[in-house]
Structure formats: structure tokens, C-alpha cells
Amino acid sequence: MGEGYHNFHHQFPMDYRNAFHWYQYDPTKWFIALCGALGWASSLRRFPYNEIQKGVLTMQLKGLKKLQDSLEWPAEPKDLPILTWDEFQEASKTRQLVLVSGFIHDVSSIVDEHPGGRYHLTNNIGKDASAAFFGGVYNHSNAAHNLLSTLRVGILEGGLEVVTEHSIPPGQRLVITEKKALLDGSEGHKKTCVE
């Protein structure tokens, strides 16, 4: 009776409750609270709400991390080949490649699905379509930015000197990371956080 929240008891053993919201089914909590109100129990202790919320947040982040790790993300820029402009032009003769914000994208998988029609993509094969993508024709949505980032196949030499707001797609601007304690007692990042 109320044991469904038993993990709460293990995290916060000094708290007389198994469930901390008044509406959560926990007859033991209600019984002890009633005894406290009648003077039959005393010194009922509660763990600080702020610390409980940290526990709740941790569990939510674990769930989100699991979802995040199940999704397909774009290749890291350091893992992409660097092509000169001439190499990009040559490769564009056999592949549907478009340059946007210093990244070379293979758009062949979305040409027929493009909401604006094939023309907007095919007309920019082998060209820099950054101006068109960032509002020249249409101000693309976050979803379009996220999708385009998964189509990255290279970087134009000299075309991506610094990380810009366009280098990191909206879906990756907040990344859940895990910190692992190292053997020497210091902490290190398991993954790099994108801020």
C-alpha cells in the first residue's frame, strides 16, 4: 500500500512519506500524517523540496538522455572530409551536393520531398545556397535545420573557419551529458556539452 513509490524512500530515507505530492497514492503517508495531527506521532521529517526536485529532474534527464541517444544526429565536423571549391564542384557532377553555411550537404534523399519543390534544390546543386536557406527565399524552420544537418557530407575548405550559430542545429543546442568520476577522483566529461 504505497510501495509503488518505494524508490523515494530509498533516496530520502529520513522522509516519513513514500510519495511527496499530496495526491499521490500513499496510504502509509496519510496514516502517519493523521497520527501526527492527532498527536500520536511526532517529529515527522521531510526532505527539502529543492533536493527532491533535483531527484525528479535527474530521473527526467535520464529518460531524455535515453531518447537523445536513440536519435540519429549529424556527423561531427571533425569527422567530415574537407573539400576545396574545385573538389566540391567536381563531386557535384555526380552527386546532388549543395553548400550551406560552409557545410556540403548531399540533398539527393530529399529532392523529391522538398516542400518548395525540386527546383529550389536542383537549381542550387554545386552552389552556395546559404543565402537562400537563411531567408533569401524562405526562412526555414528548426526542423529543416535539423534535417539538413543530418545530410552533411563534407566541409568546404575555408568555408567554416569558426563555429557559428548555423554550425549547431537547433536540436543539438542543448545536449544532455554524463559526468563520470575518473579513477584519480577528478571529474571528466563522457561527452562534450554543446551550449
Side-chain angles (χ1 to χ4, degrees):
M1 305 304 288
E3 294 296 294
Y5 299 104
H6 198 65
N7 61 338
F8 178 88
H9 168 72
H10 285 286
Q11 286 296 311
F12 312 106
M14 64 166 258
D15 201 308
Y16 75 92
R17 306 165 297 173
N18 271 339
F20 66 99
H21 290 300
W22 67 267
Y23 55 83
Q24 290 173 315
Y25 184 74
D26 184 0
T28 306
K29 166 187 70 181
W30 297 330
F31 176 73
I32 294 171
L34 177 63
C35 289
L38 296 174
W40 299 345
S42 63
S43 303
L44 303 184
R45 297 173 70 187
R46 291 180 172 209
F47 211 80
Y49 180 77
N50 187 69
E51 303 313 307
I52 292 171
Q53 288 304 108
K54 287 179 187 176
V56 171
L57 178 61
T58 298
M59 296 310 293
Q60 290 171 341
L61 288 173
K62 280 184 178 182
L64 290 172
K65 176 92 169 70
K66 186 175 180 180
L67 172 61
Q68 171 186 285
D69 291 346
S70 73
L71 300 175
E72 179 186 342
W73 297 98
E76 292 289 328
K78 65 178 177 54
D79 297 330
L80 294 172
I82 298 173
L83 282 71
T84 64
W85 178 260
D86 291 338
E87 290 170 330
F88 165 59
Q89 292 293 294
E90 190 61 34
S92 295
K93 292 177 182 175
T94 57
R95 295 171 68 187
Q96 294 180 314
L97 301 179
V98 174
L99 180 68
V100 176
S101 192
F103 287 101
I104 299 167
H105 304 83
D106 185 340
V107 296
S108 58
S109 63
I110 63 166
V111 167
D112 293 326
E113 307 296 323
H114 188 261
R118 294 177 53 92
Y119 171 80
H120 291 295
L121 288 179
T122 57
N123 191 46
N124 284 292
I125 301 298
K127 298 178 184 174
D128 187 342
S130 300
F133 188 78
F134 293 110
V137 174
Y138 171 73
N139 193 14
H140 288 82
S141 67
N142 285 348
H145 284 265
N146 289 333
L147 176 61
L148 185 68
S149 71
T150 64
L151 305 177
R152 294 174 179 171
V153 294
I155 297 175
L156 183 68
E157 183 179 60
L160 190 66
E161 296 298 326
V162 294
V163 175
T164 67
E165 65 176 296
H166 304 303
S167 304
I168 303 168
Q172 280 187 292
R173 293 195 181 141
L174 293 174
V175 173
I176 300 167
T177 62
E178 288 182 76
K179 282 189 173 183
K180 295 287 185 185
L182 302 177
L183 293 178
D184 64 1
S186 63
E187 287 190 299
H189 282 285
K190 182 178 178 185
K191 293 186 177 180
T192 304
C193 182
V194 178
E195 295 181 11

